[in-house]
Amino acid sequence: MINFQYLRTTTAKSAIALLVKDKNAKFLAGGTSQGGSATLSTVGSAVNDVCVALKSAIAELAANSNMDATANFVDVLKKNNLPQIEVTKESQGGKERDNYSMYSFSIHFVQVKVHALTGVVKVSKIVSVGDSGTIVSPKTARSQMLGGAVGGIGMALTEESVIDHRYGRYINNNFADYHVPVNADAPEIDVNFINKPDPHINPMGAKGMGEIALIGFSAAVANAVFNATGKRIRTLPITPDKILT
Amino acid sequence: MIAGAISSKKSSVITAIALTPGVAVKVAESNADECFAQLFEKIPVKLTVNNKAYQTTVEPRVTLLDYLREELHLTGTKKGCDHGQCGACTVHVDGQRINFCLSLAVMNEGKKITTIEGLANGETLHPMQAAFIKHDGFQCGYCTPGQIMSAVACVREGHTGSRAEISEYMSGNICRCVAYLNIVDAIIEVEEGGETV
């Protein structure tokens, strides 16, 4: 259920931006989970539904007060002496999820440099392409893909949690021993999106992209290392000792 | 040494007599032992935080990070690893960026400290803050205060010759959401904008 007190536009894209900015907007998303890359599909659809309802409410108000249906909503409110218009809409989604499967896809291209003497692998260039339907927010979607790519560098090359099997404790439970990628580890990254709306899954045509940024990335690094050295490393992370032996 | 041993023995006997179980429980319940200890254990410190002078007493073991957050309630500076490994607690002391979790409050006597709260000019954002928003230089935001303080220092230090140099000098601040490239973009914009930071 979304309760909007005001709204300037009726497109889902700007509506979500508004939802974030509007302190008065409340949404109680029950039933569907907000995770598993499904937040945009579920909450976004609810925002879309309430925006459509609001649009027709404004149009109705305009028609009742003998105004053009395309009139500015501020003028419509002024004419009706209303400080605001409130619409509450419950969004449950349709049967799309039962009838259609929903998958997002991504592909990663990785260029690596392997030091012949030390076996250190450095990722020097990345091209990531994501297909998750409509891209609602290009800027944050790109940031998500960047995050997945560099997170993938850590997964592929440096991050390993080591457990002391006698006591069941992590030995490297600090950033000095567990190496997460830092700023200097992030290479040039080219992010692209297919940006093709999914016609079935929700009104916006947007699918989740939380996971696709990372999935497949470490495999791309391992393939690149194989291409460079002829060595198939089948356990992550690909540390210099595995390359040199 | 013997005299010391005897006197400490004596004092522990006195303590043992004075703190019979009933009394000990009462003292502990009323927090009196803590209050008593504070009289002896706290050390006076003078600090200037965000152009505001503070004169107070702190325990010598308190880090400046904890002092800022717990005593002054300046919670903009974040505690990440508390080991000096992540950079979330980066602030400026006399214009230089440091990890506050590795600095004791008493070590900063008379020093001028700037935290993320002191960066903006009233409601006007600091150019670096504005650039971080413009370039989406964060996702969850936890490392951001440290990143921004570090970024400002990076520009002031003049380590902005190339993307690689910026990356190198920003590598003390870990960002798990990996906004690194956007952060470098933000720093380049501020550098090229030529505003005084």
Side-chain angles (χ1 to χ4, degrees), chain A residues 134-163:
Chain A
T134 307
I135 301 301
V136 173
S137 165
K139 191 195 262 184
T140 55
R142 179 177 171 271
S143 296
Q144 177 74 24
M145 291 298 275
L146 296 178
V150 183
I153 293 178
M155 181 186 180
L157 299 177
T158 57
E159 291 180 36
E160 183 174 26
S161 41
V162 184
I163 295 175

Side-chain angles (χ1 to χ4, degrees), chain B residues 119 125-134 147-156 160 183 186-191 195 197:
Chain B
L119 214 52
L125 290 180
H126 184 276
M128 190 63 78
Q129 292 175 308
F132 263 63
I133 293 170
K134 185 181 165 193
Q147 296 278 6
I148 290 176
M149 296 313 282
S150 218
V152 169
C154 185
V155 173
R156 286 180 188 164
T160 47
I183 289 169
I187 294 173
I188 288 173
E189 174 169 313
V190 171
E191 169 67 17
E195 277 182 86
V197 292

Side-chain angles (χ1 to χ4, degrees), chain A residues 139 142-143 159 175 181 184, chain B residues 85 134 136 171 176 180 182:
Chain A
K139 191 195 262 184
R142 179 177 171 271
S143 296
E159 291 180 36
F175 290 126
Chain B
Q85 295 168 341
K134 185 181 165 193
D136 202 27
S171 282
R176 197 38 155 164
Y180 295 141
N182 298 339

